[in-house]
Amino acid sequence: MSDAMTDAIVSLNLELDLAHTLDMFLTALIDQTGAKYAAINVLDEEGISVEFHYRGIPSGVWEHIQRAPNAVGVLGQIPDEGTLVLADLTQHPAFQGMPKHHPPMGSFLGTALKVRGSVFGYLYLASKPGEFTADDEASVEALAAAASVAIDNAQLYEKALARERWLTASQDITTALLADPGDEEVFETIVESAKDLAGAINAALVLPGVDGSWTMEITSGPRAGELLGLELPAEGRAIEVIRSGQGVTSTEPPGSIVLDAVQSFGPTMYAPLSAEHRPVGLLMLWRDRGMASFTAEDLEIAQRFATQAAMALSVAELSHVKSKTTLLEERQRLADDLHDFVSQELFATAMQLESVAHDVEPRIATRLMRTLDHVKRAQHEVRGVMSSLAGQRTSEPISERIRREIVMATDSMGFAPRVKVDWAEVSHAIAGEPSLSDDVVAVVREMLSNVARHAEATSVYMEISGAEGRLVVSVVDDGIGPVGATNRHSGTSNLANRALRRNGTFTLAPSRPGSARPGTYAEWNVEGQG
């Protein structure tokens, strides 16, 4: 082996950048064989060209050709083992001509370049003065063996760097969410990071709605505007991925039911976000047609990122919900205290002042009445503060309040309930009486709390209806039945009392009488105030 060959092999194995490794490989081949042109066509797992590296062809010529060659004609005759050597490729029976602007070529040597036993790409050498010799074949074989090791090392290095970038991104997201659980920009960071790290063109983060729907809430890429707000088809493949928790890659958007907006996309990767065995979202990543497919390793790394993001989102959401619930409950407590103590004391003081003013001389009575005016103004101010504090809760949309209760219950039960509700209908049913929304929220909280503490259930279905002038909240579980909950005065009695105060009913019964696990059906039914 010549010193030049030895130096070329050593140099190849010192390089860790894949693109640079391939360029060095081609340069060494030209130096060793005397070929005018050298190229390597890198393929993905589907045999599609994803990179084309060349030497000898002027860049201006390549800009006119614009595409890598396919495995047809003479190139389709290159074996996976050994080499194809031709004195003049244009004389081969399989020759089908050259693309427009392609430089003329004569002698030819083609071989497969393998890495870890699989075809990484195809090597093309052309237009050596005279013909390629047996020594040239030996040189190509030696350089290809060295390049195989170098390429493998470069790929491993790139994968390690990719894993580090994914890990750093997930740590940044977790830190940001725990620092500020309400930071909506973190959702955008999740999508942008996943898109960039995965080499995707378009991306979407799908999040659940209270009514069981899944919607693209955050989108990124050239088609972001078209994707934003789209609801996933109930029978589509993406919903299957969410339910199963198993990610998927495909050469195009998978499934028989595909949204119009994504039908033109190419390679696709879906990575579900799951926390404590429950789905909390879905990362959807797309490349353009003609780009490399996502690999199993791409999915593995993306899935780890998605899982970390899901855990961070789950913890942050629960922290945010608990903080907001605590704040609202504290405001309600303050309003109650103002009513029970301050307002009542001011009322009693006003009554006493008014009574005393009738029993004293006019001069003192006048001063007492001025003091009475101050007390009444104080009463008015206290009532305003009470109204404001109580209003912090009732002014929120009912959908947001119920969603918060579901998040809290999901944490307690270990799974998310299925929910059916028409928010417009329910909002209309409570429109005439804001305090009714307080009752509905309390009822939902108590019903789901009963399930969490006593039912030993594995699934829950909740429905809220505001039809036909009635407001109905029903919860069905598959647990041990209503025996434990029936004896809880503070639980079921509260539910019954809330119904009675509104001339309604509360029902608690087995959902499957006679079964080993009869489950529980609870219904709170009152007159609406729309």
Side-chain angles (χ1 to χ4, degrees), residues 321-339:
V321 166
K322 286 182 176 178
S323 297
K324 190 161 186 178
T325 300
T326 300
L327 176 62
L328 292 174
E329 288 177 348
E330 179 64 13
R331 285 172 170 166
Q332 187 63 48
R333 185 189 66 77
L334 288 172
D336 292 342
D337 286 349
L338 284 173
H339 175 270

Side-chain angles (χ1 to χ4, degrees), residues 141-450:
E141 183 178 342
L143 284 170
S148 175
V149 175
I151 291 168
D152 189 29
N153 289 337
Q155 286 181 318
L156 291 174
Y157 181 67
E158 284 194 350
K159 290 174 182 176
L161 288 179
R163 287 177 182 273
E164 183 178 351
R165 288 192 293 267
W166 282 101
L167 178 60
T168 299
S170 64
Q171 289 173 338
D172 290 345
I173 287 166
T174 301
T175 301
L177 277 172
L178 294 180
D180 182 5
D183 187 0
E184 294 289 337
E185 291 184 3
V186 177
F187 290 91
E188 297 179 12
T189 302
I190 291 173
V191 177
E192 288 292 341
S193 297
K195 179 175 71 71
D196 294 342
L197 292 170
I201 303 301
N202 290 282
L205 175 61
V206 177
L207 297 174
V210 176
D211 57 356
S213 64
W214 292 84
T215 305
M216 297 185 195
E217 294 286 354
I218 309 290
T219 57
S220 177
R223 305 279 292 279
E226 298 174 52
L227 299 175
L228 186 63
L230 293 181
E231 185 175 321
L232 298 186
E235 304 301 322
R237 184 66 184 280
I239 293 293
E240 290 181 17
V241 171
I242 291 172
R243 290 171 179 163
S244 68
Q246 300 296 316
V248 66
T249 62
S250 177
T251 56
E252 60 183 18
S256 57
I257 303 175
V258 179
L259 291 169
D260 291 342
V262 305
Q263 285 184 355
S264 62
F265 291 166
T268 300
M269 178 163 65
Y270 297 159
L273 280 68
S274 300
E276 298 180 350
H277 307 293
R278 64 182 179 87
V280 297
L282 177 69
L283 268 176
M284 307 180 80
L285 301 163
W286 299 278
R287 291 172 177 166
D288 287 342
R289 291 188 182 273
M291 295 180 67
S293 297
F294 291 104
T295 66
E297 184 153 8
D298 289 332
L299 178 59
E300 179 189 352
I301 298 174
Q303 191 61 73
R304 290 181 183 179
F305 172 82
T307 299
Q308 185 72 21
M311 292 174 62
L313 286 173
S314 182
V315 170
E317 183 178 34
L318 184 59
S319 174
H320 178 64
V321 166
K322 286 182 176 178
S323 297
K324 190 161 186 178
T325 300
T326 300
L327 176 62
L328 292 174
E329 288 177 348
E330 179 64 13
R331 285 172 170 166
Q332 187 63 48
R333 185 189 66 77
L334 288 172
D336 292 342
D337 286 349
L338 284 173
H339 175 270
D340 294 341
F341 301 108
V342 180
S343 181
Q344 295 295 342
E345 286 294 326
L346 288 173
F347 179 75
T349 300
M351 292 287 291
Q352 290 175 0
L353 287 172
E354 197 166 9
S355 176
V356 171
H358 290 296
D359 298 330
V360 298
E361 59 183 87
R363 182 177 60 82
I364 297 177
T366 300
R367 294 176 60 189
L368 287 176
M369 293 305 292
R370 285 200 295 268
T371 302
L372 178 61
D373 289 339
H374 287 297
V375 172
K376 288 183 176 180
R377 279 198 296 272
Q379 278 186 290
H380 179 75
E381 293 295 332
V382 168
R383 289 195 187 99
V385 173
M386 287 165 48
S387 176
S388 176
L389 288 171
Q392 293 290 334
R393 180 178 296 274
T394 54
S395 63
E396 268 192 303
I398 186 68
S399 58
E400 178 62 23
R401 299 182 66 188
I402 296 297
R403 190 191 73 84
R404 192 161 58 245
E405 296 303 326
I406 291 172
V407 170
M408 296 284 282
T410 297
D411 182 60
S412 301
M413 295 187 295
F415 59 88
R418 292 182 298 119
V419 180
K420 179 181 179 182
V421 57
D422 183 328
W423 292 119
E425 187 179 86
V426 172
S427 297
H428 176 72
I430 65 174
E433 176 54 71
S435 66
L436 180 53
S437 65
D438 292 336
D439 273 352
V440 173
V441 172
V443 166
V444 168
R445 179 188 304 161
E446 190 66 45
M447 284 183 170
L448 294 179
S449 176
N450 283 342

Side-chain angles (χ1 to χ4, degrees), residues 450-506:
N450 283 342
V451 174
R453 286 184 284 184
H454 302 283
E456 299 179 19
T458 61
S459 68
V460 171
Y461 174 76
M462 180 171 73
E463 183 172 354
I464 307 176
S465 169
E468 299 179 358
R470 306 293 298 180
L471 187 59
V472 181
V473 180
S474 61
V475 171
V476 183
D477 68 61
D478 63 352
I480 61 174
V483 178
T486 303
N487 297 325
R488 287 185 64 247
H489 173 79
S490 61
T492 55
S493 293
N494 282 345
L495 292 167
N497 289 336
R498 286 182 184 275
L500 288 172
R501 285 199 298 269
R502 295 187 178 277
N503 297 318
T505 60
F506 173 67

